[in-house]
Amino acid sequence: MANFYEFFAGGGMARAGLGPDWQCLLANDFDPKKAASYAANWGADHLRVGDVAALTPADLPAGADLAWASFPCQDLSLAGAGAGLKGERSGTFWPFWKLIKALGDEDRAPRLVVLENVCGALSSHDGKDFAAISSALSNNGYRFGAVVINAVHFLPQSRPRLFIIGVRKSSPIPRALIADGPEGEWHPSALVEAYSKLSKRAQSSWEWWHLPAPPARTSIFADLVEDEPHGVTWHTAAETKKLLGMMNPLNLAKVEAAKKAGGRQVGTIYKRTRADGPNGEKVQRAEIRFDDVAGCLRTPTGGSSRQTIMVIEGKRVRSRLLSPREAARLMGLPDTYALPKNYNDAYHLAGDGVAVPVVRFLAEHILEPLLAAALAVEKKAA
């Protein structure tokens, strides 16, 4: 049994991905609504609701093997204001890291640290934010590396995310976990470029983590769609007509092709502002995809972030918002997971989370082998 802390825990999706062989010693989130969902699904015994900056080392039980932190991404994402690690939300990385440093001073720093965020963290402030995180790890006793994993390998949702994985320098790293250099699937050009901008000291602590080829995904988006959705209603014919009226010729052609394809075709729609009006002015467009994959769940303020689905059966065209349960399924949560009753709360809970099978993939192929190697050395020394 391995032990972990879950910071910025949300609804506990990292916990769901780690699985029953991992015991949570402490979970923390600032948002009371998300914390309520965490408590409803996992219990409140180890849950601390409040600002991470208010926590002290004394609040953290001893014996954690892993600290998982999916710290807020808004200031690092392309949709954010670009404040980076100095922003009010993404800047919460620093009080989290202050706790990790303090644990190190007490000789009980977690053997492993995983930081999860949007890929925009690689380029935020021309790479300076990623460099700052890297230096924090390197300067405080961790070897580390990063991978980019798209949840689309496991779930029918396009969702690339950055995972920075650190291991205490005193812990052994099995050779099988290290690649000779960047591997195209997990180390895209943006990551390689971000690495090139690190200090020599940070680069000296860097590892190119090796992961096996991704599994073949077995589901498509249509498999996750509810026949009788809860929490949403189908649009009226007029509302669907209005949605179609927001499409440009390219997207309307996709709808027509889906009609001719026969059977049940399910597409997903995001509304986006484009400078393609009659005179080049900005207009809101409805953009649809029929590639069996949903767009990335996003949660910026405003209704445009909510994903719409369109179901086409012959000439019959229906549309509605993605349901809360469908959003949860797109994150890999089981239908037994209790969701908030409020639509926006449920959608934000899912959209701000980490894809469950991606966590399991990392745990199986990097985290658990690292812990097993460390325990083997300790057992031999004893």
Side-chain angles (χ1 to χ4, degrees):
M1 179 72 73
N3 300 319
F4 70 101
Y5 305 134
E6 188 175 8
F7 293 93
F8 315 102
M13 295 184 209
R15 179 172 184 163
L18 288 172
D21 290 337
W22 290 76
Q23 180 180 359
C24 183
L25 300 181
L26 177 134
N28 169 248
D29 202 281
F30 180 77
D31 187 328
K33 292 179 179 179
K34 290 177 181 174
S37 291
Y38 193 103
N41 287 281
W42 307 107
D45 291 351
H46 308 296
L47 179 63
R48 293 291 297 267
V49 184
D51 193 336
V52 65
L55 294 175
T56 68
D59 296 317
L60 277 59
D65 299 294
L66 164 69
W68 183 287
S70 294
F71 63 100
C73 66
Q74 289 90 338
D75 298 308
L76 297 168
S77 70
L78 295 177
L85 287 181
K86 295 181 180 178
E88 179 180 355
R89 290 165 293 189
S90 297
T92 50
F93 168 78
W94 294 116
F96 154 74
W97 192 251
K98 183 180 178 181
L99 275 176
I100 300 301
K101 288 174 62 178
L103 290 176
D105 292 340
E106 297 178 4
D107 199 27
R108 59 186 187 100
R111 184 175 279 112
L112 304 173
V113 172
V114 177
L115 310 173
E116 182 258 346
N117 215 285
V118 294
C119 296
L122 292 169
S123 56
S124 174
H125 289 169
D126 194 31
K128 291 184 176 64
D129 289 331
F130 182 71
I133 293 171
S134 298
S135 292
L137 285 156
S138 176
N139 295 342
N140 288 278
Y142 286 90
R143 299 194 64 77
F144 71 99
V147 293
V148 171
I149 302 180
N150 194 332
V152 77
H153 294 307
F154 309 87
L155 300 161
Q157 180 194 176
S158 174
R159 191 181 185 84
R161 287 294 184 267
L162 172 70
F163 296 86
I164 305 171
I165 304 155
V167 57
R168 296 292 298 178
K169 291 179 179 178
S170 57
S171 293
I173 301 178
R175 183 67 188 89
L177 302 186
I178 303 300
D180 293 331
E183 296 181 327
E185 181 64 57
W186 311 118
H187 307 123
S189 58
L191 175 54
V192 176
E193 182 179 355
Y195 163 80
S196 73
K197 296 179 180 179
L198 300 183
S199 68
K200 288 185 178 180
R201 178 169 181 174
Q203 287 186 353
S204 70
S205 299
W206 181 272
E207 301 288 357
W208 293 105
W209 296 115
H210 170 72
L211 285 167
R217 177 164 49 86
T218 58
S219 64
I220 62 174
F221 176 63
D223 297 335
L224 276 58
V225 172
E226 293 184 289
D227 292 327
E228 298 180 5
H230 297 278
V232 293
T233 56
W234 290 98
H235 289 161
T236 64
E239 288 171 326
T240 298
K241 184 178 179 180
K242 180 180 178 182
L243 192 63
L244 290 167
M246 295 171 64
M247 294 185 183
N248 64 16
L250 175 63
N251 285 278
L252 284 173
K254 293 180 184 179
V255 173
E256 290 304 313
K259 288 180 181 179
K260 294 176 182 177
R264 179 172 176 258
Q265 305 293 322
V266 183
T268 62
I269 299 169
Y270 264 130
K271 295 175 183 176
R272 294 185 171 92
T273 300
R274 301 295 188 193
D276 64 353
N279 299 308
E281 70 272 22
K282 291 183 177 180
V283 294
Q284 192 176 47
R285 292 297 191 190
E287 300 180 351
I288 192 165
R289 60 193 294 170
F290 284 102
D291 58 355
D292 295 328
V293 172
C296 183
L297 293 177
R298 298 180 291 125
T299 58
T301 303
S304 64
S305 70
R306 298 183 298 178
Q307 202 161 175
T308 299
I309 72 170
M310 183 167 278
V311 179
I312 298 176
E313 296 166 297
K315 293 184 178 180
R316 188 187 188 198
V317 179
R318 294 183 296 163
S319 60
R320 61 168 170 81
L321 288 175
L322 187 76
S323 77
R325 182 55 64 191
E326 289 160 351
R329 289 173 178 174
L330 285 172
M331 296 303 293
L333 288 169
D335 285 357
T336 52
Y337 186 93
L339 292 170
K341 290 183 169 51
N342 178 274
Y343 179 92
N344 284 339
D345 292 347
Y347 196 94
H348 281 221
L349 182 78
D352 282 343
V354 57
V356 172
V358 175
V359 178
R360 176 88 302 269
F361 185 70
L362 280 175
E364 180 180 353
H365 296 292
I366 293 184
L367 306 182
E368 290 165 357
L370 283 172
L371 287 181
L375 291 173
V377 170
E378 292 175 4
K379 184 176 181 180
K380 187 176 181 179

